[in-house]
Amino acid sequence: MVKRRGFIFQGSEIYGGYQGFWDYGPLGVELKNNIKKEWWKKMVYGREDVVGIDAAIVMNPKVWEVSGHLSAFTDPLVECKVCHKRFRRDTFDEFSKSVTGVGNVALKKEYLDAFICEDGKPHPKDKLTKEKTFNLMTEVFLGITEPKEKAYLRGEITQGVFVNFENVVNSSRVKIPFGIAQIGKAFRNEITPGNLTFRSREFEQMELEYFVKPDEKKSQETFEYWKKERLGWYTSLGIKKEKLRFKDHEPEKRAHYARYATDLEYEAPFGWSEFEGIHHRGDYDLGKHKLTYKDKETNEEYTPWVIETSGGVDRATLFFLVDAYHEDGERVVLKLNPKLAPYKVAVFPLLANKENLVNKAKGIYLELKLLFPTCFDARGNIGKRYFAQDEIGTPWCVTVDFQSLEDGTVTVRDRDSAKQERISIDKLPDYFQNKL
Ligand code: GAP
């Protein structure tokens, strides 16, 4: 469906694709942009204590050396000596412990790779190579003289915030506690990309780094506060509460920068999976970069602690799609929150071969299009047009019929209830505005 309707395409598909890279089609880009817009509205515009930045993807390689990513941003890699598949040792161990039959792992590609040989049998435990640490940073080579200089595509967007900490403090009126928000691409040379966009090598993150004064108790309260805020954001946009849960990281699973961490997980068709990470990074990063904060009122100088909320835009897009997908007999309905729906309104003439109906509908479409993402469809029969809009999540369909020519009203059909009401054409902008 995501390919047929233009949400997500395999990257470089005409050349056989490229593992871990995905493209967003005409509807996918709208959905993804809407998610980012709603996040920014909530996390930046909706607050007085957060400002945004947009840092470069490639940074001075020194940043990654100091941040610990070159030495510690790793996954444990092993190879099966029988089938030569490479996979993460921790994934293998996790599944060896929890899975009683191979059938249970049928859906999660990452686990399939880690668990099953090409002959369909589990990898023999005694035939795995010794574990190697595999660095996830993606190298790039820059410059015009040989050897070219090695740099890195950022493995997390976060470091761009830390290295600009002083710039932001000096150029804006922020005072601790405050946050810096950012949305942007990150790259990881993942061992086992898979499950559509869930684990890719190029992906987008939406992150908040919230700086607080060092204080164990208060920082824990801030951590709990952000957990609640982030959960609330997803449910306010329609994700079902029972499909969400927090899972604290075991100490050995924590990233090198985290004092403690929890994942917000979604119950995907391939099992509970991380949506967003909430991390207490303490003074790890600012400390490493030797950055401090001076309170202008008290003259007190200290290294702030950081509470981070780090969401994946691609995972959010995927899970909003999965959560919204409903089959109702032959009808497929994408029950996206209208704020996220690629099109808010579709306008149809009842019959495609009646010029006066088509012209009237076209006029309404052109007017609404200036106010909301709106599409026009005059193909096939009206039932099929409704079904097509249901499948892409358009919340309202406006149909121009013969009565419209007489009394200036149209029918507005609601996606979820399939109920129709008659509305005066001149009231349509207000009607949709109020609903949105
Ligand atoms: N700055 C902290 C950080 O990067 P993370 O838990 O490694 O933390 C945060 O990543 C979020 O980024 C994840 O919860 C996920 O949504 C997204 N993400 C991470 N790796 C990803 C990948 N390979 N493909 C898609 N999204 C990914």
Side-chain angles (χ1 to χ4, degrees):
M1 191 281 266
V2 295
K3 176 176 174 182
R4 183 166 44 78
R5 291 293 184 193
F7 283 96
I8 304 173
F9 305 132
Q10 194 179 6
S12 321
E13 187 182 318
I14 61 166
Y15 292 104
Y18 202 53
Q19 204 189 9
F21 294 90
W22 297 92
D23 298 335
Y24 287 84
L27 297 187
V29 68
E30 297 296 334
L31 172 59
K32 195 171 168 216
N33 281 343
N34 291 341
I35 290 170
K36 290 191 276 185
K37 243 187 281 167
E38 289 303 316
W39 186 89
W40 199 266
K41 252 200 256 168
K42 175 81 181 164
M43 303 293 276
V44 183
Y45 300 152
R47 306 187 61 95
E48 293 183 52
D49 55 353
V50 176
V51 291
I53 67 159
D54 182 15
I57 287 175
V58 178
M59 305 167 84
N60 187 319
K62 190 99 192 133
V63 172
W64 302 110
E65 195 188 309
V66 172
S67 70
H69 281 76
L70 295 189
S71 53
F73 196 49
T74 56
D75 278 337
L77 175 74
V78 287
E79 185 175 318
C80 169
K81 289 184 202 160
V82 179
C83 69
H84 301 288
K85 260 195 204 170
R86 292 175 163 204
F87 44 87
R88 286 169 58 162
R89 173 84 219 199
D90 54 343
T91 313
F92 177 81
D93 289 341
E94 215 171 277
F95 263 69
S96 306
K97 258 189 263 153
S98 68
V99 171
T100 45
V102 166
N104 293 359
V105 289
L107 282 163
K108 202 158 186 168
K109 185 184 174 303
E110 181 178 352
Y111 292 134
L112 277 180
D113 280 342
F115 204 68
I116 300 168
C117 257
E118 246 126 46
D119 61 5
K121 295 199 190 105
H123 300 293
K125 211 171 179 164
D126 57 347
K127 293 266 161 40
L128 303 184
T129 57
K130 224 170 132 232
E131 176 180 320
K132 272 201 264 180
T133 49
F134 179 79
N135 194 284
L136 299 176
M137 295 294 287
T138 315
E139 295 166 2
V140 284
F141 293 88
L142 300 166
I144 47 167
T145 48
E146 294 292 345
K148 292 199 175 108
E149 186 176 305
K150 183 155 85 171
Y152 303 89
L153 299 177
R154 60 188 177 190
E156 59 167 0
I157 61 170
T158 334
Q159 293 304 319
V161 168
F162 297 135
V163 299
N164 279 295
F165 179 74
E166 275 184 358
N167 285 335
V168 173
V169 169
N170 295 337
S171 62
S172 53
R173 279 176 298 171
V174 291
K175 271 203 303 204
I176 277 192
F178 75 91
I180 303 180
Q182 184 177 209
I183 298 178
K185 292 259 183 174
F187 300 80
R188 292 183 192 172
N189 193 8
E190 296 282 358
I191 295 171
T192 42
N195 287 314
L196 197 67
T197 51
F198 178 77
R199 192 174 302 288
S200 7
R201 290 187 164 131
E202 171 178 341
F203 55 96
E204 217 166 345
Q205 296 184 307
M206 40 191 183
E207 289 194 340
L208 173 76
E209 306 305 319
Y210 197 78
F211 300 94
V212 296
K213 199 171 168 180
D215 181 310
E216 200 58 61
K217 186 160 171 285
K218 282 207 185 123
S219 71
Q220 269 175 35
E221 282 164 15
T222 309
F223 186 83
E224 293 303 320
Y225 167 82
W226 281 111
K227 274 173 68 175
K228 220 162 122 206
E229 279 291 293
R230 296 305 303 139
L231 180 81
W233 183 76
Y234 288 108
T235 53
S236 75
L237 288 171
I239 298 273
K240 293 174 208 82
K241 231 186 181 140
E242 63 274 17
K243 292 268 184 183
L244 293 169
R245 72 171 187 199
F246 283 109
K247 187 158 180 242
D248 292 342
H249 283 204
E250 302 294 329
E252 68 277 7
K253 278 216 109 181
R254 267 177 220 150
H256 61 280
Y257 49 73
R259 295 184 63 190
Y260 47 90
T262 192
D263 285 340
L264 179 55
E265 293 190 332
Y266 178 76
E267 191 180 13
F270 44 81
W272 285 97
S273 307
E274 176 187 347
F275 215 137
E276 169 152 347
I278 322 271
H279 307 129
H280 189 317
R281 296 178 76 125
D283 65 357
Y284 178 85
D285 303 271
L286 292 184
K288 287 269 177 200
H289 295 301
K290 299 197 170 32
L291 295 164
T292 56
Y293 173 82
K294 191 160 182 180
D295 189 315
K296 290 196 182 89
E297 276 147 35
T298 62
N299 259 343
E300 201 185 346
E301 189 169 350
Y302 57 85
T303 306
W305 288 1
V306 178
I307 309 297
E308 166 184 77
T309 71
S310 177
V313 180
D314 307 84
R315 286 189 191 176
T317 306
L318 179 61
F319 292 153
F320 274 117
L321 274 171
V322 166
D323 204 65
Y325 185 89
H326 287 80
E327 285 177 5
D328 174 10
E330 267 180 57
R331 194 166 88 105
V332 171
V333 192
L334 206 53
K335 295 188 177 176
L336 285 170
N337 183 302
K339 288 184 182 146
L340 301 183
Y343 290 119
K344 313 302 174 198
V345 186
V347 183
F348 312 145
L350 180 65
L351 300 170
N353 57 359
K354 294 282 179 225
E355 207 180 325
N356 46 0
L357 292 184
V358 174
N359 288 343
K360 186 96 185 156
K362 258 275 152 73
I364 296 171
Y365 157 70
L366 290 173
E367 261 185 47
L368 290 179
K369 194 174 176 337
L370 298 173
L371 306 170
F372 322 98
T374 303
C375 71
F376 180 82
D377 193 359
R379 298 161 310 164
N381 73 43
I382 191 90
K384 280 206 176 124
R385 284 183 244 155
Y386 284 143
F387 272 31
Q389 293 302 325
D390 288 342
E391 198 178 21
I392 63 170
T394 309
W396 304 290
C397 293
V398 169
T399 302
V400 173
D401 54 20
F402 293 106
Q403 189 181 330
S404 313
L405 304 176
E406 282 162 25
D407 66 3
T409 63
V410 287
T411 63
V412 176
R413 173 187 175 272
D414 179 86
R415 175 195 69 197
D416 298 340
S417 66
K419 289 212 173 92
Q420 304 195 14
E421 54 180 318
R422 271 207 102 81
I423 309 274
S424 167
I425 293 169
D426 54 6
K427 299 231 164 71
L428 286 175
D430 282 347
Y431 177 84
F432 294 126
Q433 194 72 63
N434 289 339
K435 294 232 173 217
L436 280 164

